[in-house]
Amino acid sequence: MSARKQVVEILNQIADLLEIKGVEYKPRAYRRAAREIDSLTEDLTDIHKEDRLEDIPSVGENIAEKVAEILETGKLEYHQDLKREIPIDPDLLKVRNLGPKKAKKLWEELDVTSLSGLEEALNSGRIRELKGFGPKSEENILKGLQIVKESQGKSHLSEVLPEARRIKEELVDSSLFDKVAFAGSLRRRKYAVGDVDILATADDRDKAMDQFASLDGLEEVLSKGETKSSVRIESGLRVDLRIVDEASFGSALQYFTGSQEHNVRLRQVAISDRYKLNEYGLYDEETEEKVAGEEEEAVYNKMGLTWIPPELREDRGEIEVAGDDQLPQLVEQDEVKGDLHCHSERSSDGHITLEVLVQQARKRNYRYLAVTDHAETAGIVGGLTDDQVTKHLEEIKSANNSVEGLELLAGVEANIQPDGALDLSQDSLEELDLVIAGVHSHFDQSKVEITERTVRAIENPSVDIIAHPTGRKLGERGSFDLDWEEIFARARKAGTALEINASPARTDLEDKLVKRAVEKGVKLTIGTDSHRVNHLDYMELGIHLARRGWCEKPNLLNTLSLTDLKAWLDN
Ligand code: DGT
Ligand code: CA
Ligand code: CA
């Protein structure tokens, strides 16, 4: 784990533990500091070396001292003391609907301090008998537990990609390898990655494996052999390296890319074509002659299939379509013309100035970027009120006057109220270039209620895009149970786009739903939901999601030219 991540984790745990103790105010201070540190783009160790920890927003003297202790010793005495006092596993507190008060009660009355303890207590029905819990609360905790369990043992692609790329680069730079390629779920760009699979060829395998076992940032070597080794890196991620013969590289790449379901179907095709397919090659069943193996593409081609992009290899119909040469032309990064979901400083949780948004858009060769600040709803997030819409428009207009080749669009991310109405007047909505609407409260409605609520927003003539349609937060909150046939039909009819929210915490819509939306002719758009400058990079994650959902250029709003986008928005 990086020093920064470790600091963030410890500060958040302190906040949790203090809350359990019933301490007021302090937990919020720790959480604020953790959030600021988490979003630093500068190296935390450097900041400490230069004695500038207290310059970080929300980090005062007291917290700066604690951060310094963690950076210098790898741990914090104060944190250790709290953990001794309250032996509750931090993972337990990730369960939604299990706040500090309830966690404390479970610990004191049922001796539940871990996820497995919680599961046992739920199964034995002991939780509903506790005062203040009951069957409804039991059901909610059970749901929360499932969500935490699902995310355990998997890392988000956004965390895995940079680490994996760094390792690949180090292997390539050593000159001990010829070919180095990602395989597995990483190559398929799944958002939840169990472990990193790397496939390589090398002349001197012993030396190559030695190199791998002494990578930078290694935590431990789990196993080491001539053809396969596994290591764990500091972030906790496992990395497998396989070295194969040049002549089998293509078939091994095919095999180890998976998915397992795709491979099973592919082997059936091989058998019906009188071939035998394994990680070493594709063989004629009768003569046992090897007909492909060095090149992955040839493995597919020999079986009468066009090469299938790894993102599609999930046995969702891709093999049938490849047999008819009808694979989709998946959207490419350079076809994306802009980002339609970005927050400026005007959102209370936003940190990017218009100037920086312009810089970032330019850096990416965008033609447009929508500044979609939050609308104000009492008690949620401060932002645009009806009065401020005019000011927002003026500011963006004046920013546009000083840039060429790029246009900022004045937008808003309005809140869909429990009844489906938005929290800005129709007049304000109509003045804006672009309106995103999203659910940010009242998550516990029934399927019928939340579907009707979303449909009403879809059919609001001012709404262009529905943000993060399922409302999920990974590891925290599950998806709404929506009537998708209804949502897709209405969205298509109303000409409202559904968002592929690329923010790692959301990853919403996910691939399966994207594919269904594409099939139904619903327009989609990729938005990064940027609140900080580094978030604009999430566009890449959104593209991976879109590709996994079979998206082609015409399916996406933000591949349109500025003129076409404006025409679409006006419609
Ligand atoms: P992950 O690591 O859980 O995110 O998912 P994968 O898909 O990377 O799975 P992993 O690392 O266990 O194995 C990599 C690929 O190797 C997998 O996608 C397909 C192939 N593979 C591994 N074991 C088997 C197997 O027992 N049968 C078949 N057909 N393929 C396998
Ligand atoms: Ca894997
Ligand atoms: Ca693996």
Side-chain angles (χ1 to χ4, degrees):
M1 193 181 315
S2 74
R4 182 172 54 93
K5 287 276 174 215
Q6 196 196 2
V7 167
V8 169
E9 194 171 298
I10 291 180
L11 295 183
N12 278 324
Q13 285 181 15
I14 292 175
D16 286 341
L17 294 168
L18 289 176
E19 256 180 8
I20 291 173
K21 282 182 64 156
V23 176
E24 285 188 77
Y25 309 116
K26 272 188 172 180
R28 283 187 55 194
Y30 277 98
R31 269 191 234 290
R32 264 203 303 271
R35 209 161 40 230
E36 291 294 340
I37 292 170
D38 196 23
S39 59
L40 286 174
T41 42
E42 207 183 333
D43 191 77
L44 185 62
T45 322
D46 289 347
I47 298 179
H48 173 47
K49 271 188 208 137
E50 292 161 22
D51 213 11
R52 292 188 286 114
L53 286 174
E54 284 184 54
D55 292 350
I56 302 170
S58 301
V59 176
E61 192 186 342
N62 173 33
I63 293 183
E65 267 174 23
K66 295 195 164 65
V67 172
E69 187 179 330
I70 300 167
L71 292 173
E72 283 161 21
T73 68
K75 55 185 192 331
L76 177 65
E77 206 51 49
Y78 176 65
H79 175 234
Q80 304 283 327
D81 287 345
L82 279 172
K83 283 210 301 189
R84 272 188 288 272
E85 198 180 333
I86 303 161
I88 296 178
D89 182 346
D91 279 347
L92 190 67
L93 298 163
K94 291 184 187 153
V95 176
R96 193 170 157 79
N97 296 315
L98 195 71
K101 281 207 192 84
K102 283 189 170 162
K104 185 175 183 200
K105 203 154 178 177
L106 288 180
W107 164 43
E108 285 175 347
E109 299 196 15
L110 299 179
D111 204 22
V112 166
T113 56
S114 65
L115 287 175
S116 56
L118 177 66
E119 189 161 22
E120 240 177 71
L122 281 165
N123 289 339
S124 65
R126 283 187 296 152
I127 286 193
R128 70 172 76 185
E129 285 159 16
L130 276 185
K131 197 164 164 256
F133 280 73
K136 181 74 193 163
S137 144
E138 179 188 75
E139 194 189 314
N140 286 335
I141 293 172
L142 189 64
K143 263 193 218 159
L145 176 66
Q146 296 306 356
I147 290 165
V148 173
K149 272 175 67 184
E150 275 164 27
S151 65
Q152 279 199 327
K154 298 270 182 203
S155 307
H156 197 280
L157 181 63
S158 59
E159 281 158 23
V160 176
L161 260 179
E163 296 271 16
R165 283 177 173 149
R166 183 182 58 73
I167 289 169
K168 187 177 166 190
E169 203 172 312
E170 206 178 319
L171 296 180
V172 170
D173 286 349
S174 74
S175 303
L176 291 167
F177 297 86
D178 295 317
K179 289 181 177 159
V180 184
F182 293 139
S185 54
L186 175 63
R187 184 168 180 236
R188 304 198 311 279
R189 297 294 194 263
K190 256 183 91 161
Y191 79 80
V193 175
D195 68 359
V196 170
D197 298 284
I198 302 178
L199 206 67
T201 60
D203 284 339
D204 189 337
R205 292 186 176 185
D206 286 341
K207 254 184 146 172
M209 280 300 185
D210 284 345
Q211 173 71 27
F212 178 64
S214 59
L215 281 172
D216 262 0
L218 218 80
E219 182 90 4
E220 63 175 316
V221 176
L222 300 168
S223 67
K224 187 160 173 273
E226 199 200 328
T227 56
K228 189 190 167 197
S229 300
S230 294
V231 299
R232 191 176 299 286
I233 58 175
E234 281 167 358
S235 64
L237 195 63
R238 205 179 96 159
V239 183
D240 291 348
L241 172 70
R242 291 182 179 84
I243 302 182
V244 299
D245 291 339
E246 183 82 38
S248 296
F249 185 78
S251 43
L253 186 59
Q254 193 293 309
Y255 180 86
F256 290 111
T257 296
S259 66
Q260 198 157 325
E261 293 78 7
H262 173 89
N263 287 355
V264 167
R265 293 272 299 118
L266 200 64
R267 252 196 323 270
Q268 290 169 356
V269 175
I271 290 165
S272 68
D273 286 352
R274 313 197 129 267
Y275 286 123
K276 193 182 90 187
L277 175 66
N278 58 34
E279 59 188 283
Y280 303 104
L282 182 70
Y283 302 86
D284 186 303
E285 189 199 58
E286 254 168 65
T287 64
E288 297 200 345
E289 184 201 351
K290 186 167 173 170
V291 297
E294 193 170 343
E295 301 291 337
E296 186 185 58
E297 185 161 6
V299 173
Y300 284 98
N301 292 167
K302 284 283 177 198
M303 288 189 279
L305 308 171
T306 39
W307 177 82
I308 301 176
E311 295 96 325
L312 299 185
R313 301 184 193 174
E314 299 291 344
D315 190 24
R316 294 180 187 156
E318 71 280 5
I319 292 174
E320 292 78 353
V321 175
D324 299 333
D325 196 10
Q326 295 292 318
L327 282 169
Q329 286 284 319
L330 298 182
V331 61
E332 303 277 353
Q333 179 122 22
D334 62 8
E335 290 173 330
V336 167
K337 302 275 184 354
D339 195 335
L340 295 180
H341 191 163
C342 297
H343 295 265
S344 78
E345 284 181 318
R346 198 176 273 286
S347 299
S348 67
D349 55 351
H351 296 263
I352 327 176
T353 62
L354 288 186
E355 256 178 314
V356 170
L357 279 174
V358 167
Q359 275 170 19
Q360 290 296 319
R362 282 203 178 290
K363 195 174 119 188
R364 294 171 169 74
N365 278 324
Y366 287 163
R367 294 285 296 112
Y368 46 80
L369 183 141
V371 188
T372 52
D373 284 306
H374 286 290
E376 169 98 33
T377 283
I380 303 185
V381 261
L384 289 171
T385 57
D386 281 314
D387 289 344
Q388 287 167 335
V389 165
T390 324
K391 185 134 192 287
H392 184 54
L393 282 162
E394 277 167 12
E395 242 179 61
I396 286 176
K397 204 169 160 195
S398 98
N400 274 329
N401 284 336
S402 53
V403 290
E404 255 175 69
L406 168 75
E407 190 164 322
L408 293 182
L409 302 172
V412 69
E413 181 180 11
N415 298 298
I416 306 176
Q417 321 262 48
D419 65 354
L422 301 189
D423 54 353
L424 275 177
S425 73
Q426 209 62 29
D427 282 351
S428 296
L429 295 174
E430 275 162 27
E431 271 187 84
L432 292 156
D433 297 325
L434 180 135
V435 175
I436 300 184
V439 169
H440 297 100
S441 68
H442 301 82
F443 305 108
D444 293 333
Q445 290 182 323
S446 69
K447 178 172 179 173
V448 171
E449 283 169 333
I450 204 125
T451 300
E452 280 177 3
R453 176 182 181 187
T454 306
V455 163
R456 191 168 161 208
I458 286 173
E459 295 186 338
N460 183 323
S462 298
V463 171
D464 302 301
I465 297 167
I466 300 293
H468 40 71
T470 80
R472 73 173 182 176
K473 281 266 184 94
L474 292 177
E476 186 187 320
R477 187 168 75 217
S479 302
F480 304 139
D481 187 12
L482 287 160
D483 179 346
W484 287 106
E485 293 312 309
E486 184 72 7
I487 297 286
F488 290 146
R490 303 287 191 121
R492 188 196 153 126
K493 189 140 180 277
T496 301
L498 301 184
E499 181 181 64
I500 297 172
N501 189 294
S503 169
R506 295 208 180 256
T507 311
D508 175 15
L509 298 171
E510 70 168 298
D511 50 24
K512 276 190 199 163
L513 285 169
V514 171
K515 182 167 190 274
R516 282 173 62 192
V518 166
E519 286 162 4
K520 298 287 177 188
V522 175
K523 211 42 148 193
L524 295 153
T525 173
I526 306 173
T528 60
D529 205 348
S530 290
H531 286 74
R532 302 206 177 242
V533 63
N534 54 321
H535 297 175
L536 281 115
D537 288 338
Y538 295 158
M539 186 55 77
E540 187 199 348
L541 302 169
I543 293 165
H544 296 321
L545 256 183
R547 288 171 60 91
R548 285 183 53 83
W550 296 51
C551 260
E552 303 185 283
K553 185 182 174 207
N555 300 121
L556 289 168
L557 203 53
N558 56 323
T559 57
L560 292 178
S561 69
L562 178 62
T563 318
D564 290 347
L565 174 68
K566 280 183 158 175
W568 190 91
L569 290 172
D570 281 344
N571 234 312

